[in-house]
Amino acid sequence: MPAKPIIFSAAAALILALGGTAAAAAPSASRATCMLLSDLVMMQHQMRQFHEMLKTGNDTGEARRLRNWLVDHPQVDLRIRLRRAGMQSYERSTLDLITRYKSLLEIQRRHGRRKAAANAQRRGTETLLQVYAARIVPLPCNYVPPQGTAGAALSGLGKLKRLPRETVIAGSLLTLLLGAAAAFVLQRLARRRLRLSRRHPCALPCILKCGDYRFEARIVDISRLGAKVRVGLEDGQTVPAIAGDVTAGVTGLPPVEAQALRQDHDYVGIKFARRLSRGQLKTLLKRNAAQTVEPDAAVSTA
């Protein structure tokens, strides 16, 4: 029997604790909003005083006080505080005024009061300040933005509309299908590239022409995209630099246009201007196999 009172007591304690936490959080949020509103009211007051100084010329430190306030309240900090308080609808006008008055302060410092006053009048800065003050000053210290209005969401666009469940499922399935199709295509492209770039060791004699040079060479490995060629010179001779467009002459094929990409002593890597067909590569590999078998057959006959 005593179990029920204990349960009820625990539940009551939990409710009181939650209520106390919520009550503690509410004053904290209210204090932050109150301090923010106080800063904004002070900002428009300093701007109004500076504007009066521009019109009357009676300077008692208004420019210095406004400049100090702007330094002590960076735009990024104000933007964060406005969003935390749910006051995004005031963000654009606040930052616009700050930008305008920073510009006026700089004009007043460089070109004098009259120039700054003319600029403020031309851009209608005083009218914007009056409209802003009419919105900010009447707000109570414990102002709470209405829910469901623009600015209640962090983006300032209001609550996002929920999508139907069928739309979410269809979108997920479409994403999976597109991902699978993209993976399949990429895999096929990778396999095709691998087939084209697969290198086959060989020892095919060829004539390599580069400008005025003509070398007797030997292809040591080949693919449909290019080849590695060893230039044969007499002992002690240095292979000249081979670069740019070259022509490789191989028995059984028309001259193959290529480009020399790299050179390491007497080895030259070339890339064909037009990749070899499967039949051409197969013909060259058969000829290489026949050249390799012929010496073995001669030794066996002997």
Side-chain angles (χ1 to χ4, degrees):
M1 292 298 294
K4 290 185 178 180
I6 294 175
I7 295 175
F8 291 151
S9 300
L14 179 60
I15 293 172
L16 289 174
L18 292 176
T21 304
S28 176
S30 178
R31 282 195 298 270
T33 304
C34 188
M35 293 177 63
L36 173 62
L37 290 173
S38 176
D39 286 338
L40 296 180
V41 170
M42 180 58 67
M43 179 193 76
Q44 65 86 28
H45 174 72
Q46 296 288 357
M47 290 176 176
R48 189 184 301 276
Q49 293 293 106
F50 173 72
H51 206 87
E52 289 296 324
M53 183 273 294
L54 292 181
K55 292 192 296 184
T56 62
N58 185 18
D59 188 1
T60 57
E62 284 79 4
R64 175 179 51 80
R65 285 192 289 269
L66 177 58
R67 187 177 290 107
N68 291 340
W69 191 96
L70 294 175
V71 171
D72 294 338
H73 299 80
Q75 294 188 43
V76 175
D77 181 58
L78 282 176
R79 182 184 292 115
I80 294 173
R81 294 173 65 192
L82 284 166
R83 293 185 179 184
R84 285 179 178 175
M87 298 175 62
Q88 288 89 338
S89 58
Y90 298 89
E91 180 179 336
R92 178 177 296 180
S93 56
T94 302
L95 300 182
D96 180 51
L97 278 177
I98 290 176
T99 302
R100 287 172 179 265
Y101 276 89
K102 280 185 176 181
S103 176
L104 289 177
L105 284 168
E106 188 63 18
I107 294 174
Q108 186 261 345
R109 185 181 69 85
R110 291 188 175 187
H111 306 288
R113 175 184 62 83
R114 296 182 183 275
K115 187 75 172 179
N119 184 276
Q121 184 177 4
R122 178 174 56 84
R123 300 181 62 187
T125 305
E126 186 177 13
T127 303
L128 293 176
L129 180 60
Q130 292 175 355
V131 173
Y132 181 80
R135 295 181 63 197
I136 287 293
V137 174
L139 293 179
C141 188
N142 58 348
Y143 169 77
V144 177
Q147 297 296 324
T149 59
L154 289 180
S155 61
L157 301 177
K159 292 184 177 179
L160 296 177
K161 192 175 181 180
R162 293 191 63 181
L163 295 175
R165 183 178 179 183
E166 294 78 6
T167 304
V168 176
I169 295 175
S172 301
L173 291 176
L174 181 61
T175 303
L176 290 174
L177 290 175
L178 291 176
F184 176 75
V185 171
L186 292 175
Q187 187 177 18
R188 291 295 299 273
L189 291 175
R191 288 181 178 178
R192 184 169 180 269
R193 181 69 184 179
L194 182 62
R195 287 196 299 268
L196 291 175
S197 60
R198 182 183 176 187
R199 309 181 74 89
H200 303 273
C202 59
L204 291 171
C206 74
I207 301 297
L208 190 66
K209 295 181 180 180
C210 177
D212 297 332
Y213 293 103
R214 182 178 182 277
F215 305 101
E216 292 186 1
R218 185 175 296 273
I219 299 176
V220 296
D221 68 50
I222 189 170
S223 71
R224 293 179 61 186
L225 299 179
K228 185 177 181 181
V229 182
R230 183 175 185 182
V231 179
L233 294 178
E234 297 181 1
D235 294 341
Q237 291 186 358
T238 303
V239 178
I242 300 175
D245 296 333
V246 298
T247 302
V250 186
T251 305
L253 291 180
V256 180
E257 302 294 333
Q259 185 177 18
L261 299 181
R262 55 188 176 274
Q263 180 178 357
D264 183 11
H265 300 292
D266 52 351
Y267 287 95
V268 182
I270 63 175
K271 179 182 179 181
F272 301 141
R274 180 179 299 178
R275 65 171 179 257
L276 301 179
S277 66
R278 293 182 180 179
Q280 290 174 328
L281 180 61
K282 190 174 182 180
T283 300
L284 292 177
L285 294 179
K286 282 184 177 180
R287 181 176 294 111
N288 178 73
Q291 292 176 357
T292 306
V293 172
E294 285 177 1
D296 296 339
V299 171
S300 300
T301 304

